[in-house]
């Protein structure tokens, strides 16, 4: 379709300035078959003003009898010519003053928009881009004076096939720039120019930018494109004054973009992050590449996400300021809960926060094992700090968070405060508090705090922390495994046998172990009731979400914790309602295994309570009245061992009746019987507090952020698990110089 005729209807004037040509740019294909008509309005004068000003437009009206015929010839013929008016805005309306369509002026890249009723016939084998642009370039002389009558026989309008810019991306209406276009302020102006540059794949270089003017040019060397915008007098509005030339460059050839800043990334993915806060930086990079054709660095995507998340969740400073009313809301929505915040008396800087929900308190005191684990994790937020956790264990062995504390820094004084709050919590809620067993890493602050606040409790080592210290010291996997086997040994004889195995491998390792009293960690010597629970490394067990929350502002972090607890309580409550067994699943499995082994044992009865059980492993004595066995399995785990099961079966007793109550389904349901209730949005707190006479006046207290600040740089999001620490790294080998420590690609040896 190389030849197309342009035929203008009757009584039309065409005024064209010298040195003008008509060009279809931006690589848009205009495929029109022969004898297709583009109809123009009836009884209207259509003026085409292409002169010295940028303010002349071509208006296309209602379809009628005037045809624009693109035929087989490059000749453009017309019947009549109108005079040229220099300063008029020559636009034809559909109904006197509406429906005008504009033809872009020289040097500008604009779209040609047609009214809905205008017909544009396109052959089946050709394409017409919906964002077709018609640009008039200033490169070919037409030989016409402004007021000269134009005879199409004497001069031609040529539709060129070469394009000015090769763009494959369709231009959306939002990226149109035209002289006279207005913006509310200079920021909006710069943003519009930035978006246009990214959409059209060219980079823009700012020449001048201040409160009253903005000038930029195409960053490609030799490209004449230039734009200037200035502030209108008396108002903050900015308007585009001039747009010089069209792009003569081929656009950028590299994958990035100078205008694709962190703020642009944040704006681009803002809506997606509002819908899905877990949207990953990698997914952001993929979407930007797919939509805009730009490849950015991971750091830009990460910083863009962080900027939007900060705007969505509020500032870190606001989080500390809202802590007093937040504590009031916790106590208002969850009656019986404990929530208190403390600031430094001198400057009101944040020091401590303690929160425990009533549902957790009730479940721990009435249904959980009398076992408590203490742990902490360092926060990754702007003002750092430490999150302290006190966690119980339900009948099925899952973690049951009881209380949380946030402190400005970890020290002995703050641990003493946290354990004091924990003691007050347990003391005021029960008169028959069982003797607790507490597991921790036994650092000095925790040991002193436990001795002061829980003098009757058994305080043992968390084996995860102990084995980690042992691994750092000796870095031997076999020794670490033997240490764990010694910790699990039920009898003193088994324990000593494992220590001797360690001593045969390393006497230093055996000496290191013997310096730590076995009553603090070894099952065979431990005096408390752990039910087989050796670890209290809570943070690693909660790794999937607690570390993500640790980087949020303090209220957002506590809300993340509360929502997780609320979800856990509901899910576990609903799951337990489906159970039909007497014991929880984990206990049922242990009892089933004991039943299977008990069938091979021989049982001799001494009296109504005492039995002798003979197996291939040896002889054990079982006392069903005191619920004990010589192997110590029944006493230590709270469930009948295989020897006890054999004795119970021999006297036709129900095995399930001889288990600890915390392992029954009924008790498990009681653990999660209470509800952790939602907390309303912070915008409603003041209104609710004013209407609640029970709300304290703590809302008037202002808490400032702590003085500690996080060092610059991206905080680590992935926790290094204990078993991965101290792992021997693989030794790399260079195949070029035969040396270790580097690869062939990084070898610096001379050739």
């Amino acid at each position: 379709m190389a030849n197309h005729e342009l035929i203008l209807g009757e009584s039309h004037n065409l005024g064209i300035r010298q040195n003008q040509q008509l060009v279809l740019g931006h690589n848009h294909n205009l495929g029109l078959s022969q004898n297709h008509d583009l109809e123009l309005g009836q009884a209207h004068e259509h003026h085409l003003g292409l002169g010295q000003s940028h303010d002349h437009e071509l208006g296309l009206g209602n379809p009628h009898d005037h045809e624009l015929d693109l035929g087989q010839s490059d000749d453009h013929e017309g019947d009549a010519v109108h005079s040229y008016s220099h300063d008029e805005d020559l636009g034809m309306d559909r109904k006197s003053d509406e429906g005008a369509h504009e033809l872009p002026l020289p040097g500008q890249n604009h779209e040609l928009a047609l009214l809905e009723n205008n017909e544009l016939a396109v052959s089946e084998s050709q394409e017409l881009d919906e964002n077709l642009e018609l640009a008039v370039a200033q490169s070919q002389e037409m030989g016409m004076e402004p007021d000269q009558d134009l005879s199409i026989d004497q001069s031609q309008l040529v539709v060129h096939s070469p394009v000015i810019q090769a763009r494959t991306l369709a231009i959306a209406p939002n990226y149109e720039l035209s002289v006279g276009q207005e913006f509310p302020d200079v920021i909006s102006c710069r943003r519009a120019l930035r978006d246009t540059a990214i959409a059209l794949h060219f980079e823009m270089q700012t020449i001048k930018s201040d409160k009253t003017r903005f000038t930029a040019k195409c960053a490609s060397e030799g490209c004449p494109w230039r734009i200037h915008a200035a502030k209108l007098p008396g108002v903050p509005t900015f308007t585009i004054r001039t747009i010089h030339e069209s792009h003569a460059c081929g656009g950028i050839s590299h994958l990035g973009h100078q205008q694709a800043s962190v703020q642009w990334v944040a704006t681009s993915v803002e809506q997606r992050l509002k819908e899905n806060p877990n949207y990953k930086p990698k997914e952001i990079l993929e979407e930007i590449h797919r939509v805009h054709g730009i490849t950015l660095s991971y750091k830009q995507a990460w910083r863009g996400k962080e900027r939007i998340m900060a705007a969505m969740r509020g500032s870190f400073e606001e989080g500390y300021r809202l802590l007093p009313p937040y504590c009031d809301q916790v106590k208002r929505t969850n009656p019986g809960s404990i929530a208190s915040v403390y600031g430094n008396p001198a400057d009101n800087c944040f020091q401590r926060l303690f929160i425990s929900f009533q549902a957790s308190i009730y479940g721990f005191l009435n249904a959980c094992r009398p076992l408590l684990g203490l742990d902490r994790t360092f926060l990754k937020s702007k003002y750092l700090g430490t999150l302290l956790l006190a966690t119980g264990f339900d009948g099925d062995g899952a973690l049951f968070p009881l209380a949380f504390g946030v402190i400005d820094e970890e020290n002995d004084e703050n641990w003493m405060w946290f354990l004091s709050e924990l003691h007050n919590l347990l003391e005021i809620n029960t008169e028959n508090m069982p003797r607790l067993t507490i597991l921790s890493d036994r650092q000095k602050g925790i040991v002193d705090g436990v001795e002061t606040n829980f003098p009757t409790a058994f305080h043992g080592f968390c084996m995860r922390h102990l084995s980690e210290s042992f691994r750092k010291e000796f870095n031997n996997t076999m020794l670490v495994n033997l240490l764990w086997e010694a910790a699990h040994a039920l009898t003193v004889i088994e324990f000593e046998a494992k220590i001797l195995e360690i001593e045969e491998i390393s006497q230093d390792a055996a000496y290191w172990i013997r310096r730590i009293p076995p009553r603090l960690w070894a099952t065979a010597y431990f005096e408390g009731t752990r039910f087989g629970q050796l670890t209290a490394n809570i943070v690693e067990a909660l790794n999937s979400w607690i570390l993500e929350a640790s980087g949020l502002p303090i209220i957002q972090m506590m809300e993340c914790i509360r929502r997780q607890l609320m979800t856990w309580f509901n899910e576990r409550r609903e799951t337990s309602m489906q159970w039909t067994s007497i014991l929880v699943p984990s206990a049922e499995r242990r009892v089933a295994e004991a039943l299977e082994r008990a069938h091979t044992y021989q049982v001799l009865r001494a009296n109504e309570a005492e039995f002798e059980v003979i197996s291939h492993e040896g002889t054990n004595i079982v006392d069903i009245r005191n619920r004990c066995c010589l192997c110590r399995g029944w006493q230590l785990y709270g469930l009948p061992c295989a020897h006890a099961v054999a004795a119970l079966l021999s006297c036709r007793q129900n095995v399930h009746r001889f288990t600890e109550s915390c392992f029954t389904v009924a008790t498990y349901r009681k653990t999660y019987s209470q509800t952790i209730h939602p907390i309303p949005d912070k915008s409603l707190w003041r209104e609710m507090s004013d209407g609640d006479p029970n709300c304290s006046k703590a809302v008037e207290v202002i808490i400032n952020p702590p003085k500690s600040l996080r060092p610059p740089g991206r905080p680590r999001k992935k926790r290094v698990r204990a078993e991965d620490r101290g792992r021997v790294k693989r030794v790399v080998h260079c195949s070029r110089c035969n040396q270790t420590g580097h690869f062939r690609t990084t070898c610096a040896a001379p050739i």
Side-chain angles (χ1 to χ4, degrees):
M1 303 295 296
N3 301 322
H4 304 286
E5 287 187 358
L6 179 64
I7 301 177
L8 302 178
E10 298 178 357
S11 302
H12 290 76
N13 285 347
L14 182 63
I16 302 180
R17 199 187 62 170
Q18 295 182 1
N19 301 328
Q20 303 292 326
Q21 67 178 11
L22 187 63
V23 179
L24 290 177
H26 290 281
N27 200 23
H28 296 293
N29 297 328
L30 177 62
L32 303 177
S33 61
Q34 298 180 5
N35 301 326
H36 289 82
D37 300 336
L38 178 63
E39 299 181 5
L40 306 178
Q42 180 184 19
H44 292 291
E45 293 184 352
H46 302 281
H47 298 270
L48 176 63
L50 305 177
Q52 299 173 353
S53 172
H54 290 289
D55 298 326
H56 305 290
E57 303 175 351
L58 175 64
L60 304 179
N62 282 337
H64 197 58
D65 299 330
H66 304 286
E67 298 179 350
L68 178 62
D69 186 7
L70 302 179
Q72 297 179 347
S73 173
D74 283 333
D75 297 335
H76 304 271
E77 300 176 356
D79 299 323
V81 181
H82 283 280
S83 61
Y84 170 79
S85 176
H86 180 76
D87 291 323
E88 291 181 344
D89 187 9
L90 303 177
M92 294 304 299
D93 299 336
R94 174 187 287 188
K95 293 182 180 179
S96 71
D97 60 355
E98 64 181 14
H101 294 268
E102 302 178 358
L103 177 64
L105 298 176
Q108 302 182 28
N109 296 326
H110 297 281
E111 298 179 358
L112 178 62
L114 301 180
L115 290 175
E116 295 179 358
N117 296 330
N118 291 339
E119 299 178 0
L120 184 60
V122 183
S123 65
E124 296 180 358
S125 61
Q126 296 171 321
E127 299 177 356
L128 177 62
D129 195 311
E130 63 179 359
N131 292 318
L132 175 66
E133 295 185 0
L134 189 61
V136 179
Q138 302 178 356
S139 61
Q140 181 177 357
E141 294 186 1
M142 300 294 295
M144 301 297 302
E145 293 297 329
D147 296 325
Q148 180 180 354
D149 289 346
L150 174 64
S151 174
I152 300 302
D153 294 336
Q154 299 174 0
S155 184
Q156 297 178 348
L157 289 175
V158 182
V159 179
H160 292 273
S161 57
V163 298
I164 293 179
Q165 287 179 276
R167 301 286 183 220
T168 58
L169 188 66
I171 305 170
N174 293 336
Y175 302 131
E176 293 183 6
L177 296 176
S178 59
V179 173
Q181 187 173 351
E182 295 185 359
F183 304 95
D185 48 46
V186 67
I187 296 177
S188 301
C189 179
R190 286 199 296 258
R191 186 182 299 119
L193 295 179
R194 177 199 62 191
D195 294 343
T196 301
I198 293 174
L200 300 183
H201 284 200
F202 73 91
E203 290 183 336
M204 188 172 58
Q205 179 181 346
T206 302
I207 300 175
K208 194 173 296 182
S209 177
D210 54 32
K211 295 181 179 180
T212 60
R213 54 190 173 175
F214 179 81
T215 305
K217 68 175 184 177
C218 180
S220 297
E221 186 175 355
C223 182
W225 186 87
R226 184 185 179 99
I227 191 169
H228 175 70
K231 181 179 178 295
L232 294 175
V235 293
T237 307
F238 260 68
T239 182
I240 295 179
R241 297 293 181 87
T242 58
I243 302 179
H244 295 286
E245 305 291 344
S246 298
H247 283 282
C249 61
I252 58 176
S253 57
H254 54 85
L255 297 178
H257 200 287
Q258 184 177 338
Q259 270 70 53
S261 61
V262 171
Q263 182 58 44
W264 177 81
V265 173
T267 305
S268 300
V269 299
E270 180 176 4
Q271 187 60 36
R272 180 65 64 90
L273 283 173
K274 288 180 178 178
E275 298 171 357
N276 178 22
N278 295 324
Y279 198 44
K280 298 180 180 178
K282 182 179 179 181
E283 296 171 332
I284 294 175
L285 292 177
E286 292 173 353
E287 179 175 343
I288 288 177
H289 180 73
R290 184 179 66 254
V291 176
H292 303 282
I294 298 175
T295 301
L296 302 177
S297 67
Y298 183 90
K299 183 177 181 180
Q300 280 180 287
W302 179 79
R303 291 177 61 194
K305 176 183 177 179
E306 288 294 300
R307 187 167 297 187
I308 290 299
M309 295 305 295
M312 290 169 52
R313 63 198 179 197
S315 66
F316 288 91
E317 293 76 13
E318 182 188 33
Y320 290 103
R321 181 175 57 82
L322 293 177
L323 275 178
Y326 175 74
C327 290
D328 269 1
Q329 291 301 317
V330 170
K331 292 181 285 189
R332 188 188 68 81
T333 56
N334 293 268
S337 300
I338 297 176
S340 52
V341 59
Y342 303 91
N344 190 322
D347 51 13
N348 277 345
C349 287
F350 171 82
Q351 276 190 316
R352 300 160 181 161
L353 171 70
F354 184 89
I355 290 181
S356 182
F357 294 97
Q358 186 274 337
S360 296
I361 299 172
Y362 177 87
F364 180 79
L365 292 174
N366 293 280
C368 280
R369 310 176 189 182
L371 177 64
L372 200 61
L374 302 176
D375 203 356
R376 87 287 192 217
T377 182
F378 299 110
L379 302 182
K380 305 295 191 301
S381 61
K382 180 178 179 181
Y383 292 98
L384 298 176
T386 305
L387 174 66
L388 309 181
L389 304 99
T391 304
F393 301 87
D394 64 24
D396 204 31
L399 289 176
F400 186 84
L402 172 61
F404 302 90
V406 182
I407 53 179
D408 53 355
E409 60 178 336
E410 185 183 15
N411 53 40
D412 295 349
E413 183 182 353
N414 279 332
W415 268 116
M416 182 68 73
W417 161 82
F418 180 72
L419 290 167
S420 173
E421 293 282 340
L422 197 61
H423 173 264
N424 295 336
L425 174 154
L426 298 176
E427 189 178 47
I428 64 176
N429 284 276
T430 181
E431 296 179 356
N432 301 313
M433 181 65 206
R435 191 176 183 186
L436 284 176
T437 297
I438 297 176
L439 301 178
S440 72
D441 61 358
R442 287 188 61 89
Q443 60 169 287
K444 185 179 183 301
I446 301 179
V447 171
D448 293 342
V450 170
E451 290 179 354
T452 302
N453 296 283
F454 300 96
T456 61
F458 298 103
H459 187 195
F461 265 111
C462 164
M463 271 303 298
R464 179 73 70 181
H465 291 95
L466 188 64
S467 65
E468 181 182 343
S469 300
F470 185 72
R471 183 194 299 272
K472 288 180 179 179
E473 188 71 24
F474 298 100
N475 196 21
N476 187 312
T477 303
M478 182 180 295
L479 290 176
V480 173
N481 292 337
L482 287 173
L483 176 66
W484 277 94
E485 291 175 9
H488 280 102
L490 298 181
T491 63
V492 174
I493 296 176
E494 294 175 1
F495 173 81
E496 291 298 334
K498 294 299 178 183
I499 297 299
L500 287 176
E501 289 186 44
I502 294 175
E503 192 171 11
E504 291 176 0
I505 299 174
S506 172
Q507 292 186 354
D508 291 338
Y511 175 73
W512 189 94
I513 294 173
R514 291 189 184 278
R515 285 189 307 162
I516 304 173
R519 62 182 178 81
L520 299 178
W521 61 277
T523 302
Y525 290 94
F526 196 78
E527 298 175 357
T529 306
R530 292 190 296 186
F531 300 104
Q533 185 73 39
L534 299 183
T535 64
N537 203 351
I538 302 165
V539 175
E540 285 197 3
L542 305 180
N543 185 45
S544 59
W545 60 273
I546 197 70
L547 289 178
E548 187 67 28
S550 67
L552 299 174
I554 188 167
I555 288 182
Q556 293 290 333
M557 178 184 69
M558 298 310 302
E559 277 295 274
C560 180
I561 292 173
R562 182 196 58 78
R563 293 188 184 106
Q564 185 66 52
L565 293 182
M566 182 176 67
T567 303
W568 275 355
F569 269 64
N570 181 65
E571 290 177 350
R572 294 174 183 178
R573 182 167 51 243
E574 292 182 350
T575 300
S576 66
M577 299 306 295
Q578 309 300 320
W579 294 342
T580 57
S581 59
I582 297 176
L583 304 180
V584 296
S586 60
E588 280 288 349
R589 287 192 296 269
R590 291 185 65 92
V591 171
E593 293 172 0
L595 283 168
E596 186 177 352
R597 291 162 49 197
H599 290 303
T600 63
Y601 295 170
Q602 180 184 359
V603 180
L604 302 176
R605 185 167 186 173
N607 53 44
E608 69 277 2
E610 196 172 5
F611 298 82
E612 182 179 351
V613 180
I614 303 173
S615 67
H616 64 279
E617 301 170 352
T619 301
N620 285 276
I621 300 174
V622 177
D623 186 348
I624 62 174
R625 182 186 292 114
N626 296 318
R627 298 190 178 188
C628 64
C629 176
L630 196 62
C631 75
R632 301 188 72 236
W634 196 355
Q635 303 93 294
L636 294 174
Y637 291 99
L639 296 169
C641 61
H643 311 110
V645 169
L648 291 169
L649 291 177
S650 69
C651 59
R652 295 182 176 83
Q653 293 290 334
N654 185 349
V655 176
H656 295 89
R657 291 180 54 242
F658 288 85
T659 61
E660 292 290 337
S661 61
C662 61
F663 294 108
T664 63
V665 171
T667 302
Y668 185 92
R669 290 172 180 168
K670 192 176 182 180
T671 307
Y672 297 100
S673 60
Q674 303 294 306
T675 301
I676 296 181
H677 300 283
I679 294 178
D681 186 77
K682 61 184 179 182
S683 59
L684 304 175
W685 291 355
R686 179 169 295 277
E687 178 182 347
M688 292 181 175
S689 298
D690 292 342
D692 189 352
N694 297 323
C695 238
S696 69
K697 298 301 180 180
V699 292
E700 301 175 0
V701 178
I702 301 298
I703 300 295
N704 298 320
K707 296 179 179 179
S708 58
L709 281 175
R710 187 185 72 198
R714 177 186 175 191
R716 186 180 69 216
K717 292 291 185 182
K718 185 177 180 181
R719 182 179 178 88
V720 179
R721 300 190 66 85
E723 55 266 28
D724 294 333
R725 293 174 182 155
R727 178 176 294 177
V728 178
K729 295 183 179 180
R730 182 173 63 92
V731 178
V732 297
H733 182 81
C734 177
S735 60
R736 182 166 171 265
C737 67
N738 250 0
Q739 300 297 319
T740 58
H742 64 275
F743 293 103
R744 178 185 180 89
T745 54
T746 58
C747 182
I751 300 175

